[in-house]
Amino acid sequence: MSIYKLEERSIKSIPGTDKEVKFDLEGLLGFPNKNWNPTTGKGKIVLRYRYSVNGQRRKFKLGSYPQNTIKQLSAEYKGAAGDVAQGRDPQGQRQQDTEVIKQQKVSDSANYTVAEVGQKFVENHSVKKRSCAEDVRILNRYIIPMELRGGITLGEMPIQEVRKHHLIELHDKITKYGIPKKPGKGGHKPKGKKGAPIMANRVMQWASKFFNWADGRYGFELGFTLRVDRNKENKRTRVLSEEEIKLFWEHLDILSNSRSRDALKLVLLTAARPGECASIHSTHVKDDKWIQPEYVTKSDREHLVPLAPMAKQLVQGTGYIFPSPRTQHTNVSSLEHDMKKVMNAAGIHTYSLIRNRKLVPQPTPHDLRRTAATYIESKYGEYLPHRILNHAKLGLSQYTLHEYEKEKTEALRWWDRKLMGILDKPQSNVIHLSA
């Protein structure tokens, strides 16, 4: 067997066929990997130092060439040989140092609270997603301030101490009391809002994402299942009758905020989502078309909404069509609040059907969208409303990109005329096209 020197030229002369080589330094061995080729410079040679401690033979890895320089490998060899000469075990010392570093990391991570890791989750994960604003809201309004048994809030709790029963308690409290309330002056606890069972489910969905992301980070190991029994959710099927549509439209005038009034009208006229209507911008409107950019749509793709006469009248102006003095544009929560005002003024409340005791809820802004789609479906069938609503085409969304502009325009103009008839508005300005 050839003996090599710990020098550049000597190491490069080692053939790729050798599995183990010796050096002229005591105990120094080299192990070329299968890709080692001194001609092309590919592959590597692992250098190990073989020694004996207390009668036991051991091998200590010094490094690899060319990943480490000759100078670095030489220094590692001298250090290891010096330890052995003084009766120390370099391999045992390395393992001990590694364990100390590991324990230090665990000790440092024990100080991370749920609030701190939650903030890192938002900064590193949620910021890239459309759900970022909602993730921040859930973290700040439900997770951090939630007081658990023992008087500690979930946000203050070290993340390593979180267990499944804490999540169950979180879910149950939101279900029963809604948003956590801070103690008022004098330390008294104010009465919370009414229960929020659906929001409790959403918070659990957030918690599932968060703890799965945190697993393996900041010293946290997920040692429990995240499955928590959720509250039952009933799908909304509320559609306004023609009489309710007329009452809704007539009582919109009670709103002092004309922006909310027109945004609610636009939802009913276009079947667009309330959030899309609230944030409509003049740059998105061209002639009789409202072109929603992909960053505002739920489906993450551009969507064309033809504007019939009544809808077109509502989207005049520059900048945000429905601006807000506090934010850039009207928000959905304002629309929901104003919608409730209108429904109460119109005498449209939640009621129960006597025959099957089914609860019929008070309409919301999203029910206006469902109402428009339902009436259009009664005229044009099942498929076209889904194109107007911008629902995903299952399995085909990346390949079939036809906008159905002609068909959507016809349907929304028909719906415009239908609404005029319901509202007893004159239709003299409507152009009837011959067949």
Side-chain angles (χ1 to χ4, degrees):
M1 178 184 291
S2 299
I3 298 177
Y4 299 88
K5 294 184 177 182
L6 190 56
E7 298 175 354
E8 198 94 26
R9 177 183 293 182
S10 181
I11 288 180
K12 287 185 177 180
S13 67
I14 296 175
T17 54
D18 288 355
K19 293 184 177 180
E20 179 181 330
V21 297
K22 289 186 177 181
F23 289 85
D24 60 352
L25 297 173
E26 183 181 356
L28 183 60
L29 303 174
F31 299 87
N33 70 357
K34 62 181 180 180
N35 296 323
W36 169 251
N37 188 323
T39 304
T40 62
K42 293 182 178 180
K44 66 180 180 180
I45 296 179
V46 178
L47 273 71
R48 297 183 184 275
Y49 174 52
R50 186 165 60 191
Y51 63 97
S52 296
V53 173
N54 298 326
Q56 294 183 349
R57 299 188 68 182
R58 292 190 177 184
K59 288 181 181 179
F60 177 67
K61 183 179 178 181
L62 303 175
S64 302
Y65 178 86
Q67 286 73 19
N68 301 109
T69 64
I70 298 296
K71 187 176 181 179
Q72 290 172 334
L73 294 170
S74 178
E76 286 289 329
Y77 172 79
K78 290 179 181 178
D83 285 340
V84 172
Q86 297 180 26
R88 294 192 296 266
D89 181 5
Q91 182 68 19
Q93 185 63 40
R94 175 177 287 178
Q95 291 173 349
Q96 185 177 347
D97 293 343
T98 301
E99 185 63 26
V100 169
I101 294 172
K102 183 179 178 181
Q103 291 298 326
Q104 184 62 43
K105 287 183 177 179
V106 171
S107 177
D108 292 342
S109 65
N111 298 322
Y112 280 108
T113 64
V114 171
E116 291 170 337
V117 180
Q119 188 60 39
K120 294 180 183 296
F121 169 71
V122 169
E123 292 172 355
N124 298 300
H125 176 77
S126 300
V127 72
K128 306 171 186 177
K129 300 183 177 296
R130 290 173 54 84
S131 62
C132 181
E134 180 63 7
D135 286 348
V136 172
R137 189 182 78 89
I138 289 176
L139 175 65
N140 292 331
R141 297 192 71 180
Y142 293 93
I143 302 296
I144 292 177
M146 178 59 72
E147 185 174 323
L148 303 175
R149 295 187 188 94
I152 189 173
T153 64
L154 185 55
E156 296 169 340
M157 179 178 290
I159 191 168
Q160 285 186 321
E161 296 180 11
V162 176
R163 298 294 181 267
K164 185 172 182 176
H165 67 84
H166 294 127
L167 299 185
I168 295 174
E169 185 179 354
L170 171 70
H171 180 265
D172 291 347
K173 284 193 172 183
I174 297 174
T175 299
K176 190 173 181 180
Y177 303 113
I179 298 175
K181 289 288 186 177
K182 294 181 180 179
K185 293 181 179 179
H188 71 278
K189 293 185 178 180
K191 293 181 179 179
K193 291 187 176 182
K194 64 179 182 179
I198 305 304
M199 194 64 225
N201 290 351
R202 300 295 172 268
V203 172
M204 286 300 101
Q205 290 173 357
W206 185 94
S208 180
K209 288 192 302 181
F210 167 64
F211 285 108
N212 275 314
W213 177 85
D215 187 19
R217 293 181 168 94
Y218 311 107
F220 173 70
E221 297 294 336
L222 185 62
F224 55 90
T225 62
L226 291 168
R227 184 175 179 83
V228 174
D229 289 339
R230 308 291 172 87
N231 299 311
K232 183 179 179 181
E233 297 187 30
N234 295 319
K235 292 184 178 180
R236 289 186 68 91
T237 57
R238 187 70 162 90
V239 175
L240 279 69
S241 65
E242 292 189 9
E243 181 182 355
E244 288 175 326
I245 291 173
K246 188 173 182 180
L247 286 170
F248 157 74
W249 199 279
E250 290 173 348
H251 286 83
L252 280 169
D253 291 335
I254 70 161
L255 298 178
S256 58
N257 187 344
S258 62
R259 296 178 292 275
S260 286
R261 183 167 62 237
D262 290 346
L264 289 171
K265 287 181 179 180
L266 191 63
V267 176
L268 181 61
L269 287 163
T270 62
R273 294 181 175 87
E276 294 166 351
C277 291
S279 61
I280 183 173
H281 196 277
S282 59
T283 56
H284 304 157
V285 180
K286 297 179 181 179
D287 300 326
D288 295 337
K289 301 175 185 178
W290 172 16
I291 303 173
Q292 298 174 346
E294 60 183 16
Y295 59 83
V296 303
T297 63
K298 186 177 180 180
S299 59
D300 291 325
R301 61 172 179 269
E302 188 178 275
H303 179 56
L304 169 65
V305 181
L307 297 172
M310 282 202 293
K312 188 177 179 181
Q313 292 175 7
L314 298 174
V315 295
Q316 305 300 317
T318 56
Y320 284 105
I321 303 300
F322 308 123
S324 171
R326 290 182 295 178
T327 56
Q328 290 182 318
H329 56 76
T330 299
N331 57 53
V332 176
S333 61
S334 295
L335 296 186
E336 292 171 347
H337 181 72
D338 289 338
M339 180 76 173
K340 191 170 185 177
K341 284 184 181 179
V342 174
M343 291 294 105
N344 289 336
I348 304 174
H349 305 283
T350 299
Y351 62 92
S352 178
L353 295 176
I354 297 175
R355 180 178 298 177
N356 56 12
R357 297 183 181 179
K358 183 179 179 181
L359 194 68
V360 180
Q362 189 178 60
T364 65
H366 201 85
D367 293 330
L368 298 176
R369 168 177 160 89
R370 183 182 298 104
T371 297
T374 302
Y375 278 87
I376 292 172
E377 182 184 30
S378 69
K379 173 70 174 178
Y380 291 93
E382 181 181 7
Y383 186 76
L384 188 57
H386 288 289
R387 304 284 62 78
I388 294 173
L389 295 170
N390 196 21
H391 286 166
K393 306 173 188 177
L394 296 178
L396 298 172
S397 58
Q398 300 299 320
Y399 301 96
T400 56
L401 303 178
H402 183 55
E403 279 283 3
Y404 291 86
E405 179 180 349
K406 181 179 177 181
E407 295 85 350
K408 289 193 292 188
T409 300
E410 179 186 340
L412 287 172
R413 285 182 177 174
W414 171 85
W415 174 230
D416 186 271
R417 295 192 298 273
K418 175 74 173 177
L419 273 176
M420 284 185 173
I422 294 172
L423 303 173
D424 297 326
K425 286 182 175 288
Q427 301 185 39
S428 58
N429 60 334
V430 177
I431 300 175
H432 297 277
L433 300 176
S434 58

